[in-house]
Amino acid sequence: MKKIVYILFLGLVSSYALAQKSIENPEYGLATYPGEITKIEMRDTTTVLHFKLEKLPWGYFHLNKESYIKDLSGDIKLFTIKLTGAEFKRNYFPKSGEVTYQLYFPPLSKTVKTIEFGVEKKGGGGIYDIVIQEDENSILLPKKLRGNWLLADGSNRWDYGFKSKHAIVDGIVWNYKSVDRNGKKYTISLEKNGEVKTVYAKLGNNGIVGFGNLPKSLQDYSIKRVSNPDFKMKGDVPIENVVFEIGSTTYSGMIKGFSEKMKQKTGMLHVNNPFIGEQESHLVKINDDGSFKIKFPLTHPQTAYLKMPTGRYDIFLEPGKEVFHYIHNGHSFFMGDNATVNSDLQQLKDIRLSLSKEAYKKIGTISPDDYTKLCLELKEQTINRLSKYQKDNFISQKALQIKNTEIELGFYDMLMSYDKYRRSLIYKNIKAKNEEDKLPYEEFEVSDTYYDFLSQDILNNKLLTLSNSFYFFTNSLMHAGIFNEKRLSNLSKVETAYWLQKKDVELTTEELNMVEFSKQIETPEMLAKKEKFRKTYGDTQQAFYKKYKEHFKDVSAYLKEQDQPKHEFILNVVDYLKTINIAIIEEETKMVEALSVLKTPEEVEQERLFNKQFGRTVKTFNDKYIEHSSEIFRERLNNSRNEKMQAFFGKPNSFLQDVIKMQSFSKHFEDYKFYDDDKLANAQEELQIPFLKDYLAFCNKRTKEKVERNKTKGGYTIHNVEKDEGDELFNSMLNKFKGKVVYVDFWATWCGPCKSGIKKIAPLKEVMADEDVVFLYITNQTSPEGTWKNAIANIKGEHYRVSDDEWNYLSQKFNISGIPHYVLVNKLGEVVKPKMKYTPNSKLKQIFQNELSK
């Protein structure tokens, strides 16, 4: 009887064990869902997934009732029936920064081998290939040896990555050849393309395992990071001097669990190039096994921004060196050159300087002095956070140097953004539909002394280039109120002719005569009076044009009925407004009064005679050289800014000023333009830094070679990865438009400036409806399909909504770093302007007509 009871007891225990199967730290593939699965319970009535989630940068997380699991051998989804440890809503993290919660689902079949977890909601993420039952015949490595092993001395250096089907050692992905066991000791034999590598391992206590290349010299490793602030790393010194070179670097790696299920199979690596003033985009093509490798140009050590299907990362790179990056469920592990620096920077990624939403909302009432104090406080808090982390953890000197540089540049950028933030608030208040939606605003004067934080120390500090924020810093500096000229004086005909001839433009006899006669109406006295009027009433004048623009067509009709309209357009507008009982305000009245006496009767008569004789020539002249006008304006603006910087810093030359000059010279390379030998030599003479002289010549040569290639292959972009895919993709999109001029607009439904630009260009489409001009709109998957379909119903033109990979190819081809981005293609299907700035309809029309006439 006892024997029968015992057998029944064993049966019950066995049955219970089957019903209560528990899988600790299950193996799974790619995860696009935040957090990790720590355990799976296979109960008889439910299946429970245990999650652990560390604090996210934004401080909260959402859980959805639409979560499901699915047996990969079938198509049936089992949706969640219960949640413990959190709620189905927005959840906030506790002080510990770590949350554990459990999702309950209906029971799975006891024979299930692999499942998938997902969220039935766009952007909800998922976890693929979760192993419930391993095929022991195909798995050589036991679970105790699997994981990303960090050196347990406090350096947390990642030397070994052992997975169920492959191993990562020395920045190489190996296959298992054999695994031999002798008690707690293991001999792991790895193979790659005929090369064999042996790793020895010994199981220790408390999750520690010894690894090494020799059985008698094993070092302790742990899966968890080990805190040891007293650890000293050999050769741990910061960078003393930044060496600039025309070099390249290699970035490679692997995404854990990447499979054919992934819709997106490309990533983009963005390098901020401060010398040409652009963000250079490099396509990262991901192989079916998740591996990737890319070699691209790099001028100096710096952080770069990486966007992958699994997330976004900052990577530190150096010319001539290689980095291997393993992306594991939201975590990053590095091998190769600068592995320690990159690992440390990943740990510090949440320590950053930023203005809170609350502070931004109050920016309208914060004075310049109080804003400076706020920025200093935020900087101090950020540095304190960094110091606190350093007390408990080892940080390499390089990583600490780069992080401090990032904080310093962020501080400068925040201070220089004061005006920008306030202008943005004014714009939002104007757009607000209700009075209660407006934020409070007070007028403050920003004096020149506000910018005293810009000391001479930054002028030749090349170490600032270690952070990709240096690119943004130079951009903010160039547009800072103290250096930025809001409105340049109008060029006289003589000055315009001088600039054109400087650019080797040969003027016709009629144009030269017009320029000569213009001296009679553009005398030094007249130009001085106009400049004084511009400085006094320039803002009022611009506001006037904007305010009464809707009446301009009616004003034109009104003028045709007048026997002798006034010589100034604004005065004619005011006369017309009187006829429809619109009174101008006091400020506008003062401007009109000043304008009415600006010219003497003799000057008015001379101008009338000039316009009678050369009116058509002037119009033809302006239309003919419209494309030169922006270049002339930019050069004048650069000269004005350089003069102001020299006066502010008290120095005519420095590394920083050279970088800004280099950016202005590089603008010439847009639209496939390059310098001839003499002009290149002249530009190089203005630069003091030898590297920048050489780099300008390199960029010029590269552009010239690009132009030659374009003669046989339109739109070819140098340094492309998988060029053909990008070119063939764009060409296939344009095939149906051959013989027509194509204006391409890269946009998105969520992009305010994009939608504003589309709205502004709508009237031009109507005007050119019968011309061979195509308006082509391209967006990507960030524009929700339903929203996009509704939006394009009101946007006349041709439309594409491309995949993420296709967008990456196009971004690589046209170096798209932000939208809207405009491209112009001629009738032959050749890209003639790969990066057009926003252009008013009147000028855009002339550009189209010029291309149509060719």
Side-chain angles (χ1 to χ4, degrees), residues 33-34 49-51 53 61 63 83-86 99-103:
Y33 186 83
L49 269 60
H50 294 249
F51 286 87
L53 180 61
F61 62 99
L63 295 179
L83 167 66
T84 57
V99 167
T100 57
Y101 64 89
Q102 302 76 40
L103 283 171

Side-chain angles (χ1 to χ4, degrees), residues 730-786:
F730 190 65
N731 290 340
S732 68
M733 298 170 82
L734 290 177
N735 276 340
K736 64 175 81 170
F737 309 126
K738 284 287 177 67
K740 297 182 179 182
V741 175
V742 184
Y743 181 71
V744 188
D745 184 342
F746 291 92
W747 73 296
T749 56
W750 47 262
C751 169
C754 299
K755 293 186 285 187
S756 176
I758 291 171
K759 189 175 181 180
K760 287 176 182 176
I761 205 174
L764 180 60
K765 292 189 213 173
E766 299 297 331
V767 171
M768 306 202 76
D770 297 327
E771 305 281 354
D772 283 334
V773 177
V774 173
F775 295 87
L776 177 63
Y777 296 91
I778 302 175
T779 191
N780 61 12
Q781 298 296 302
T782 64
S783 295
E785 189 171 8

Side-chain angles (χ1 to χ4, degrees), residues 603-663:
E603 288 169 336
V604 171
E605 178 60 18
Q606 284 180 330
E607 190 171 307
R608 186 188 70 79
L609 294 173
F610 174 82
N611 289 333
K612 183 177 180 180
Q613 183 175 354
F614 294 105
R616 285 188 178 179
T617 306
V618 171
K619 185 178 185 308
T620 305
F621 181 85
N622 292 337
D623 292 347
K624 183 178 178 181
Y625 301 116
I626 186 172
E627 292 192 32
H628 290 278
S629 61
S630 59
E631 192 175 349
I632 293 171
F633 173 80
R634 185 168 60 227
E635 196 166 333
R636 292 175 66 217
L637 194 64
N638 292 337
N639 291 343
S640 172
R641 181 179 57 241
N642 291 339
E643 289 172 5
K644 289 184 177 183
M645 280 191 178
Q646 288 180 22
F648 178 85
F649 290 112
K651 286 190 175 184
N653 299 304
S654 68
F655 171 72
L656 182 59
Q657 287 162 293
D658 252 21
V659 169
I660 291 172
K661 285 180 184 177
M662 177 71 189
Q663 286 190 19

Side-chain angles (χ1 to χ4, degrees), residues 513-565:
N513 288 336
M514 180 268 295
V515 170
E516 184 63 29
F517 274 85
S518 71
K519 294 176 183 178
Q520 297 176 17
I521 62 169
E522 293 179 329
T523 62
E525 294 78 16
M526 188 67 248
L527 292 174
K529 286 195 290 185
K530 284 184 175 180
E531 180 62 12
K532 184 179 179 181
F533 176 84
R534 183 189 70 83
K535 287 184 176 179
T536 307
Y537 299 106
D539 290 339
T540 306
Q541 188 178 26
Q542 291 299 314
F544 181 91
Y545 285 133
K546 189 173 182 180
K547 183 177 178 180
Y548 300 113
K549 186 179 179 181
E550 60 181 295
H551 297 289
F552 286 0
K553 283 185 179 180
D554 296 329
V555 171
S556 298
Y558 166 78
L559 291 178
K560 289 179 182 179
E561 300 172 0
Q562 303 305 304
D563 294 332
Q564 195 171 0

Side-chain angles (χ1 to χ4, degrees), residues 671 743 822-824 833-839 844 847:
D671 304 338
Y743 181 71
Y822 306 109
V823 172
L824 186 67
K833 289 183 180 293
K835 189 176 182 181
M836 289 184 74
K837 292 183 178 179
Y838 170 76
T839 308
L844 202 54
I847 292 172

Side-chain angles (χ1 to χ4, degrees), residues 247-254 265-271 280-287 290-298 304-308 315 317-325 327 718-723 808-809 812:
S248 63
T249 189
T250 299
Y251 168 70
S252 62
M254 189 173 194
K265 297 189 177 182
T266 58
M268 292 298 291
L269 186 67
H270 302 286
V271 178
E280 297 177 320
S281 302
H282 304 285
L283 185 76
V284 181
K285 187 174 181 182
I286 307 165
N287 299 317
S291 63
F292 52 86
K293 187 172 185 178
I294 175 176
K295 186 175 182 179
F296 56 92
L298 195 71
Y305 172 69
L306 174 71
K307 187 178 179 182
M308 285 292 220
I315 314 294
L317 303 162
E318 289 193 64
K321 296 187 177 182
E322 298 189 13
V323 170
F324 181 91
H325 182 195
I327 301 172
I718 202 165
H719 297 311
N720 266 0
V721 177
E722 297 296 333
K723 307 177 191 69
N808 281 346
Y809 281 119
Q812 165 86 353

Side-chain angles (χ1 to χ4, degrees), residues 47 49 66-80 105-109 112-120 127-132 261:
T47 302
L49 269 60
E66 297 86 357
S67 302
Y68 67 86
I69 56 174
K70 183 176 73 171
D71 181 348
L72 292 186
S73 63
D75 294 323
I76 299 174
K77 295 178 180 178
L78 304 176
F79 286 89
T80 183
F105 302 89
L108 286 163
S109 166
V112 65
K113 293 184 177 180
T114 314
I115 66 170
E116 175 181 290
F117 168 82
V119 179
E120 192 92 332
I127 301 176
Y128 303 99
D129 303 319
I130 306 168
V131 178
I132 302 299
K261 296 176 186 176

